[in-house]
Amino acid sequence: MSYDPNFPHASSEYAEEPTTEPTDPRDEDSAEEAQERLSQVHATAGGTSGAVHGWDPDRPLLEVTDLDITFTTSGGEVPAVRGANLTVYPGQTVAIVGESGSGKTTTAMSVAGLLASNGRVSGGSIVFQDEDVSKASGKRIRQLRGDEIGMVPQDPMSNLNPLWKIGFQIKESLTANKVAKGKAADKRVVELLEEAGLPDAARRAKQYPHEFSGGMRQRALIAMGLAARPSLLIADEPTSALDVTVQRQILDHLDVLTGQLGIAVLLITHDLGLAAERAQHLVVMYRGQVVESGPALEILQNPQHPYTQRLIAAAPSLSSQRMVSSLHNRDEEPAGGRQPARAGRTDDVIVAENLTRVFDIRGGAPWVKAAPFTAVDDVSFTLKRGTTLGIVGESGSGKSTVAQMVLGLLPPTSGRVLFEGQDIGEKSKQELFALRRLMQPVFQNPYGSIDPTYSIFRTIEEPLRLHGTRSRSEREIRVRELLDQVALPAATMQRYPNELSGGQRQRIAVARALALRPEVLVLDEAVSALDVLVQDQVLALLNDLQAELDLSYVFITHDLAVVRQIADRTMVMETGRVVEHGATEEVFRSPQQEYTRRLLDAIPGGSIPLAGSGR
Amino acid sequence: MTHASETGGATTRRGQTHFVAPVDETPLQAVDALNTDVKPRSLWSQAWRDLRRNPMFIISAVLIAVVVAVAALPQLFSDLDPYAPGACQLSNSYGDPSPGHPFGFDQQGCDVYSRVIYGARPSVIVGVVTTLGVFLLGGLIGALAGWFGGWIDAILSRVTDVFFAIPLILAAIVVGQLFALNALTLAMILVLFGWTAIARIARGSVMSVMNSEFITASKALGASSSQNLFRHVVPNAVAPVIVTAMVNLGMYIVLEATLSFLGVGLPESTISWGADISNAQTGLYTRPELLFYPSGALAITILSFIMLGDAVRDALDPKTKKR
């Protein structure tokens, strides 16, 4: 099964850097305000709202029947989609949910005639407004695209041409679809940007993509997708590259816009919670087939297919409590054996005291004074042995910088980190080397965190060799043991990272981190790039390992829902400061700060009751 | 088989009833199971497999094998030794091809075929030795600049720029005057002034690998700087450097031929394709085919090395690799 490399790490590349991007004041708006502003726009613009498309609301706008899509590769014909059925009515939001490689994007792309050149519709039909687009000519599809079928792509960072002004790019879509030309088009661009929720649209239209934040870029792309007033909008993971709070605003806005304009939306997402919250009708895809489809709420509350059940059980946004390790139910001594007590073990494994880190942002010439940027500001916490501390925050909140300081990879500007009561900043090189055994990191990107030229055996044995396990047979025994702990067969040893899936690589990274029997793991977005089911599997594994080996975790993530599953205490960070810190259950039940509340509200699907009826 | 359950009457419309696919149609797989049927493959063994399937690689490899064999053991390919005293008889000047002399004779009455065969050695030596030297020197300087950064990078990069500004052919002519040239010393001179392009590529490649998370992970394990550089960074950064060096190999052979053609390369006593091309000029109107033999050999050699470089790039460049 292939792994979609574009999916979450598209965002990860820029997610953790201290950002100096302009923040968008409108990103703070609520949906009601957006609605209000929108109606004003329509009043002034002469109004193109409501049923612009004279299509009978009870006749399907899009009807996909028994769709087969085949890709021709060097290894022969590969069926990507098999017998998919899907119906969209005018003005309705339909969501396709599935893991990467399930065929959800392929299905949606075939509707817009945008299959990759080696793919083709090999069976079934795609009827859009009584016309089979799978058999239409290239010219006809180009007419439909933009005009009747709009698109909002996944990654706002790569889907705008950095060389052209935003306004020019929207104007391009207007002229290409013959909606407006010249001066009229310029005026329409401003209206569209305003409609998409960008303040000061006339000025914004003259700016370049790099002057926009991620959320603003996605708004510009929405403006572009809606420019020609299509009757169907295909939104492919429109917000998965954005922070949760921004994600919520954008989706709210999209809801309002398409609702008012009577535009149907085909939403593609991996997030079941988000799909259930936004769509009336759900289509669940698995390995190229539709395994279940039906009214959103019904599917969520009464899933019939085992895959859907599995998906719902794994979705972090729908779960409401901390995972319980399977070991807690057993009385027997864990197989791995507890570590012998070392001298100097304390209950507070890590204590961070008033950590502050200031970066100098260099501007050009060496004589220009560097502007100080405070990435982490006065952060203190205590990690108790055998527990998990969740650090949550959006991109630029400084959470990864905290991780680097805790690991001793980055010296704090002020403040200190105590490991079992000893200041790691005052350690000598040898002492620090010894300390490395006890504290290990696991990183986010499953494609970057292990050396692609090393076999899995060499990857896992590296720490053993560095820390003086001399004999090869001894190392091999330990590698086997570690692979077993992360639930991978011993035969994995001879393999190379390029042969493993993202989840498997992440488990290898965990195995390497565990090789030296550490006491603390610092997990920096360790499950963020994984598919829901795989993520759930890795989380369960981490949880079991914690119980088995008495590990303490610092778990850093942007995803509050995941924190709830794994963390005992939660610390919420915003722009380098701690805004809230407490027991996870308390933080979730009664958040004290406005910011925490906003984050909690933004968890998609969090408000959907899994049992009972109605919202 | 489809079993749909009617629910919520008003909200369900045609095509949107609750549909559940039969379970046996798409049986559930274990989450993220490892496929243990296929043979394990490292990046390098995969590149090797791709190479072997590339017809361009096979053709160029065969040609290079022939050229290298000729360069190493010319006496196997020609009965005549053009270095032997009395090999050239002026009475044979511009003699026609005859048995034992398939390409005929040049102005000096030397056998052309044996000269073409013996001319392979200096070309191959200059090409291979220069490429190796440039790879090592440029790779080392570039890797150090990229790895240490800061002032070390600043100094090494400026030195690179200075050398980059010196035209290679001019430097080879000027410095070549100082030595009694043979194929090896010429290669050394080319290395001395030709390493800059490789150094730049190595520096960039090292810098991009350095920011990978596996390097940070290795640091967190307590690996020292040099352990990291040689165990993780170099193996990951080496592919683009190898590719550039191999594509440049042909260029160094051309350079040797150019210098010999101009009469400032290898001494006249050494048989070289470049010098023979130059000599054949004098008889261009009477015996144009004499120009063809050494230049044909030169062209085939260069082409096969460039083709090999391209094939290696296709195999090593992860961007062209489909998984």
Side-chain angles (χ1 to χ4, degrees):
Chain A
M1 193 178 287
S2 76
Y3 190 83
D4 181 2
N6 291 326
F7 167 50
H9 18 83
S11 63
S12 65
E13 277 165 29
Y14 45 83
E16 299 327 320
E17 290 154 54
T19 173
T20 48
E21 251 175 33
T23 46
D24 173 12
R26 279 300 161 95
D27 277 355
E28 322 250 313
D29 279 359
S30 67
E32 292 89 272
E33 277 174 66
Q35 172 123 29
E36 206 171 276
R37 200 167 55 244
L38 190 66
S39 41
Q40 283 168 5
V41 170
H42 284 302
T44 51
T48 27
S49 65
V52 270
H53 310 284
W55 194 255
D56 182 354
D58 287 327
R59 280 173 65 201
L61 180 72
L62 172 72
E63 214 170 1
V64 174
T65 319
D66 298 326
L67 180 69
D68 290 325
I69 296 173
T70 311
F71 283 94
T72 315
T73 66
S74 54
E77 304 257 289
V78 179
V81 175
R82 288 168 297 156
N85 288 298
L86 167 73
T87 310
V88 182
Y89 283 89
Q92 198 185 31
T93 300
V94 172
I96 308 182
V97 190
E99 295 169 83
S100 41
S102 64
K104 56 186 195 303
T105 300
T106 309
T107 305
M109 286 301 145
S110 69
V111 172
L114 286 175
L115 284 179
S117 57
N118 62 340
R120 66 192 161 84
V121 174
S122 49
S125 63
I126 305 168
V127 178
F128 178 76
Q129 293 185 343
D130 287 343
E131 185 184 353
D132 190 345
V133 287
S134 68
K135 294 182 181 65
S137 67
K139 194 178 163 215
R140 176 69 189 137
I141 286 180
R142 275 196 295 281
Q143 276 174 5
L144 283 175
R145 232 185 271 150
D147 231 9
E148 287 293 328
I149 303 174
M151 300 259 312
V152 177
Q154 172 175 8
D155 180 8
M157 293 302 165
S158 62
N159 277 299
L160 285 166
N161 186 337
L163 290 178
W164 296 104
K165 289 173 181 164
I166 299 282
F168 176 86
Q169 297 187 48
I170 298 175
K171 193 174 159 186
E172 213 178 8
S173 65
L174 286 171
T175 45
N177 292 306
K178 302 190 178 58
V179 177
K181 272 195 292 198
K183 281 265 183 288
D186 288 330
K187 191 164 161 265
R188 191 82 191 100
V189 165
V190 176
E191 282 167 21
L192 283 166
L193 280 176
E194 246 164 57
E195 187 186 275
L198 278 174
D200 202 3
R203 189 173 61 84
R204 288 289 183 196
K206 292 196 187 73
Q207 287 184 325
Y208 287 93
H210 73 264
E211 297 173 80
F212 276 41
S213 70
M216 289 157 80
R217 285 183 214 205
Q218 198 54 286
R219 284 175 195 265
L221 284 167
I222 288 172
M224 226 179 268
L226 294 175
R229 293 285 176 257
S231 43
L232 176 68
L233 186 74
I234 298 174
D236 186 359
E237 303 265 12
T239 54
S240 50
L242 303 172
D243 277 332
V244 266
T245 51
V246 183
Q247 166 176 334
R248 183 173 192 89
Q249 286 145 17
I250 300 250
L251 288 174
D252 281 348
H253 197 85
L254 196 62
D255 267 1
V256 172
L257 259 180
T258 51
Q260 287 208 347
L261 299 170
I263 295 172
V265 179
L266 186 58
L267 179 71
I268 299 154
T269 178
H270 66 284
D271 188 335
L272 198 61
L274 186 142
E277 197 174 74
R278 302 288 164 179
Q280 289 96 51
H281 185 74
L282 282 192
V283 177
V284 182
M285 288 191 76
Y286 174 58
R287 293 171 63 207
Q289 291 192 313
V290 174
V291 292
E292 188 158 1
S293 68
L297 211 57
E298 196 183 310
I299 290 219
L300 217 58
Q301 290 170 349
N302 186 20
Q304 298 294 317
H305 197 277
Y307 178 73
T308 321
Q309 289 165 354
R310 199 192 248 185
L311 208 56
I312 289 175
S317 57
L318 301 170
S319 129
S320 54
Q321 56 199 328
R322 189 170 184 333
M323 279 184 171
V324 178
S325 162
S326 50
L327 281 167
H328 281 314
N329 304 329
R330 285 193 256 148
D331 277 336
E332 56 195 284
E333 185 65 7
R338 289 203 179 250
Q339 302 167 32
R342 272 181 319 104
R345 266 168 77 109
T346 54
D347 220 23
D348 295 344
V349 193
I350 290 179
V351 179
E353 287 177 357
N354 311 94
L355 282 179
T356 299
R357 174 71 207 194
V358 180
F359 288 104
D360 290 338
I361 306 285
R362 257 188 230 148
W367 56 87
V368 176
K369 199 169 174 294
F373 171 79
T374 309
V376 173
D377 192 359
D378 195 20
V379 170
S380 305
F381 60 84
T382 303
L383 177 65
K384 293 244 185 253
R385 186 172 299 281
T387 67
T388 302
L389 169 74
I391 303 182
V392 201
E394 297 186 284
S395 36
S397 61
K399 55 192 192 301
S400 284
T401 313
V402 170
Q404 298 240 311
M405 289 191 284
V406 168
L407 285 165
L409 294 172
L410 188 76
T413 309
S414 68
R416 55 186 194 151
V417 179
L418 303 176
F419 183 85
E420 296 186 334
Q422 290 165 302
D423 188 349
I424 64 167
E426 285 169 3
K427 296 265 180 185
S428 70
K429 230 175 166 184
Q430 281 83 17
E431 284 172 318
L432 204 59
F433 184 72
L435 193 80
R436 298 259 184 243
R437 302 185 71 123
L438 303 173
M439 207 159 41
Q440 280 294 306
V442 177
F443 295 109
Q444 169 175 28
N445 183 350
Y447 291 86
S449 55
I450 49 184
D451 187 335
T453 61
Y454 272 37
S455 71
I456 299 308
F457 175 73
R458 275 186 78 193
T459 302
I460 303 179
E461 69 141 17
E462 188 190 10
L464 299 172
R465 223 176 19 188
L466 279 172
H467 287 265
T469 309
R470 294 252 177 269
S471 83
R472 190 192 146 97
S473 58
E474 229 173 280
R475 292 200 299 261
E476 193 175 320
I477 291 168
R478 179 78 181 128
V479 170
R480 278 175 193 279
E481 195 179 297
L482 286 162
L483 281 173
D484 186 52
Q485 277 180 342
V486 295
L488 284 170
T492 319
M493 276 196 324
Q494 290 121 36
R495 295 188 175 270
Y496 286 84
N498 59 327
E499 302 172 282
L500 304 182
S501 74
Q504 289 160 356
R505 287 172 199 227
Q506 217 53 337
R507 282 189 271 163
I508 297 293
V510 170
R512 176 182 54 189
L514 290 177
L516 299 170
R517 306 180 197 276
E519 311 208 332
V520 178
L521 284 194
V522 178
L523 302 143
D524 190 355
E525 300 273 12
V527 297
S528 306
L530 306 177
D531 266 326
V532 193
L533 290 175
V534 182
Q535 177 178 327
D536 186 57
Q537 188 188 31
V538 175
L539 282 176
L541 174 78
L542 287 171
N543 215 24
D544 288 348
L545 287 171
Q546 179 164 52
E548 194 178 317
L549 306 172
D550 200 22
L551 293 168
S552 318
Y553 293 153
V554 177
F555 193 94
I556 293 166
T557 180
H558 67 282
D559 192 342
L560 265 172
V562 171
V563 167
R564 187 166 207 177
Q565 282 182 297
I566 191 127
D568 300 295
R569 291 183 73 76
T570 298
M571 186 166 100
V572 182
M573 288 186 69
E574 187 192 15
T575 58
R577 278 188 210 89
V578 176
V579 289
E580 187 147 1
H581 186 179
T584 303
E585 266 320 298
E586 253 167 61
V587 171
F588 275 74
R589 210 178 320 112
S590 52
Q592 299 301 308
Q593 297 296 321
E594 174 58 30
Y595 181 73
T596 317
R597 267 195 289 275
R598 275 224 315 277
L599 276 181
L600 284 173
D601 285 345
I603 299 177
S607 57
I608 301 173
L610 279 183
S613 59
R615 289 190 206 194
Chain B
M1 183 190 104
T2 306
H3 55 94
S5 62
E6 279 295 327
T7 38
T11 52
T12 33
R13 291 183 274 192
R14 181 167 68 82
Q16 295 202 326
T17 48
H18 192 162
F19 160 82
V20 182
V23 179
D24 50 339
E25 219 169 71
T26 26
L28 285 192
Q29 292 179 329
V31 175
D32 210 21
L34 185 79
N35 182 2
T36 46
D37 302 336
V38 285
K39 232 179 104 204
R41 275 216 172 81
S42 73
L43 281 181
W44 291 105
S45 73
Q46 215 162 43
W48 174 232
R49 192 188 55 164
D50 289 355
L51 261 185
R52 278 177 313 181
R53 290 181 179 175
N54 190 345
M56 207 164 76
F57 169 74
I58 295 167
I59 296 171
S60 60
V62 168
L63 284 174
I64 286 171
V66 170
V67 171
V68 169
V70 166
L73 302 161
Q75 58 273 24
L76 289 184
F77 295 84
S78 163
D79 295 333
L80 293 169
D81 179 3
Y83 285 110
C88 302
Q89 298 292 334
L90 265 180
S91 56
N92 286 335
S93 181
Y94 287 141
D96 285 326
S98 55
H101 307 284
F103 294 170
F105 298 90
D106 65 8
Q107 195 184 16
Q108 302 291 326
C110 305
D111 174 61
V112 174
Y113 173 74
S114 62
R115 285 188 72 89
V116 167
I117 294 293
Y118 277 78
R121 183 178 281 174
S123 290
V124 171
I125 290 180
V126 169
V128 172
V129 173
T130 311
T131 301
L132 276 177
V134 160
F135 174 74
L136 292 177
L137 182 65
L140 183 73
I141 291 178
L144 292 178
W147 176 251
F148 288 106
W151 63 270
I152 295 181
D153 180 27
I155 290 174
L156 288 177
S157 294
R158 290 301 81 73
V159 171
T160 311
D161 289 348
V162 169
F163 274 87
F164 203 72
I166 303 172
L168 185 51
I169 197 158
L170 217 62
I173 290 173
V174 172
V175 179
Q177 307 285 320
L178 306 175
F179 300 96
L181 279 184
N182 59 35
L184 270 180
T185 48
L186 180 61
M188 293 302 163
I189 292 170
L190 292 181
V191 169
L192 191 64
F193 292 96
W195 55 270
T196 50
I198 297 288
R200 286 186 171 185
I201 287 169
R203 174 174 173 268
S205 187
V206 163
M207 285 169 88
S208 72
V209 173
M210 246 172 62
N211 291 326
S212 307
E213 282 174 343
F214 60 80
I215 300 296
T216 319
S218 185
K219 273 185 208 159
L221 287 171
S224 69
S225 198
S226 63
Q227 278 170 330
N228 249 331
L229 177 60
F230 291 108
R231 288 206 191 133
H232 290 291
V233 178
V234 168
N236 277 288
V238 81
V241 185
I242 290 179
V243 168
T244 319
M246 291 200 71
V247 172
N248 281 353
L249 200 152
M251 195 187 82
Y252 300 126
I253 296 180
V254 173
L255 261 173
E256 182 274 319
T258 309
L259 290 169
S260 299
F261 176 86
L262 293 174
V264 287
L266 301 176
E268 260 181 62
S269 58
T270 311
I271 298 170
S272 149
W273 289 334
D276 279 6
I277 293 171
S278 174
N279 292 336
Q281 275 188 120
T282 47
L284 191 59
Y285 290 106
T286 46
R287 302 295 301 267
E289 72 270 22
L290 289 186
L291 183 63
F292 171 77
Y293 299 124
S295 34
L298 183 64
I300 289 173
T301 307
I302 292 165
L303 189 69
S304 48
F305 275 112
I306 289 179
M307 269 164 63
L308 181 73
D310 273 351
V312 170
R313 169 171 36 218
D314 286 351
L316 287 183
D317 190 348
K319 265 176 267 171
T320 58
K321 189 171 281 173
K322 290 190 203 98
R323 272 240 93 203

